[in-house]
Each structure stands twice: as C-alpha cells, then as structure tokens.
Amino acid sequence: LAKTTQPISMDSYEGQEVNITCSHNNIATNDYITWYQQFPSQGPRFIIQGYKTKVTNEVASLFIPADRKSSTLSLPRVSLSDTAVYYCLVGDRGGSTLGRLYFGRGTQLTVWP
Amino acid sequence: DTEVTQTPKHLVMGMTNKKSLKCEQHMGHRAMYWYKQKAKKPPELMFVYSYEKLSINESVPSRFSPECPNSSLLNLHLHALQPEDSALYLCASSLLPTGNTEAFFGQGTRLTVV
C-alpha cells in the first residue's frame, strides 16, 4: 500500500503560485497520483490526476518526476477561496476488481489577503 | 449528472436507535464507498462495493451495516452506535473499482450520537 507524506500546513497570499509536494516512495508501477480538495463539512473534490511528467487542467498542474516517488500540485494565482485541505492519493489497485482510496493527512492551505 | 446525493444531511440519534444513511448516484458508476471523517482528520475508508458486491470491509464494527440494493444506491444501516461514532459520513462513487479512477463524493451526513 503506497503511503503518502505531505506538509501539514502551508500559507500563501492571494495572487501567488502555490506548490504542494507529496512523497510516495513505494508507489507501484500501475498507480496513478490523484489530488483532492476539501472544504470544511463538504466531501472531497477531485482536482487532478496523473501518471508521469506533467498534467494540466483548468485549475491546477501536476508535476511528476521520472522516478515517480513524489509529485507536486501547483495552483496558479491562488485566491481566498482556495483555502482548503489538499489530499494526495496514490491509487491502490489491490487486485483487478478491488479498489481502495486511502487519504493521507492532507495539507491545510490558508490563503491570506 | 455528476452528483452523489446523500440523505439526510444531518442526523441526531440515540444509542438505542436504528437509522439509515442513503447515497445515490446516476453516473453508471460500478464502485461505491463509505468513508467516516472526524473533525480535522482525513476521511477513513469503511466499505467498498464493487459491482454491487461488498469487496472491502476495513474491519468496521458490526453496528455499521452497509447495503447496496442496486447499482445506483448505497445504504449504511446504523444500530446501537456509540457517541464516538459521531462524525461526517461520506459516500463516494467511481466508474471502476480501482484506485486509478476519479471518485465523486457526496456532501456527507453529519451524524451525532447522543
């Protein structure tokens, strides 16, 4: 089971770029890396997913080095509404028909005006 | 429709009560999940249903009983709960029961056991 390690908290100011790094040293060959965002008293929301190199969508970029032992979520020009907990997950296939989504401790991002 | 709908949003129950949490999705997803989340903690996986069959039970006490009546519905039956079971209960679904697919989460049911 791939375990993830993230910083517990980060602070930023509006308009800045934020990079949150996640370590996953024992990631398996077939595992993807997925990031979720969660606001208080709401369910997590999918942000981005990738396997290697770089993935970009309308809200974030995900950078994955060649060894895949870490990944970095990049949020461009954050706003106050980006204050949330960000979770990095590594998919555990657990067999052809089993699936587990395990959440690590997450990173509390606080954006200040 | 990309929603996972959970009802009720809030529930207060006594330790001798029996209640049920409901979860519904109409995205054709074949995997559904129950999570428990305590304040300021990450969601903890409880159960996974794969193609309407229970595939994972993370050693959850028997006072929590999941049920998947069909591919769109997931229930969590509660009986004889303890105050420490008070938490946000999250339901999620994904297209396939693997860790490599995007999961959609409901807004959760805030459960208080008194």
Side-chain angles (χ1 to χ4, degrees), chain A residues 30 36 38 91 98-99 101-102 104, chain B residues 35 37 42 58 97 99-100 103 110:
Chain A
N30 291 337
Y36 286 82
Q38 187 178 27
L98 295 177
L101 291 175
Y102 287 118
Chain B
Y35 285 83
Q37 186 173 27
E58 291 288 337
N100 297 340
R110 175 72 60 187

Side-chain angles (χ1 to χ4, degrees), chain B residues 29-95:
Chain B
H29 289 178
R30 304 315 302 272
M32 296 187 78
Y33 311 78
W34 279 115
Y35 285 83
K36 172 184 177 180
Q37 186 173 27
K38 303 281 277 184
K40 298 194 182 302
K41 298 291 186 182
E44 296 176 30
L45 183 64
M46 300 174 71
F47 303 103
V48 179
Y49 270 83
S50 170
Y51 297 94
E52 296 135 63
K53 288 184 170 29
L54 182 64
S55 60
I56 296 173
N57 176 342
E58 291 288 337
S59 301
V60 178
S62 59
R63 58 186 184 268
F64 296 91
S65 175
E67 177 196 21
C68 189
N70 58 55
S71 60
S72 299
L73 296 175
L74 186 66
N75 298 321
L76 185 62
H77 302 299
L78 314 173
H79 173 57
L81 294 193
Q82 303 298 311
E84 58 265 29
D85 295 321
S86 298
L88 180 67
Y89 287 84
L90 294 162
C91 173
S93 70
S94 62
L95 181 62

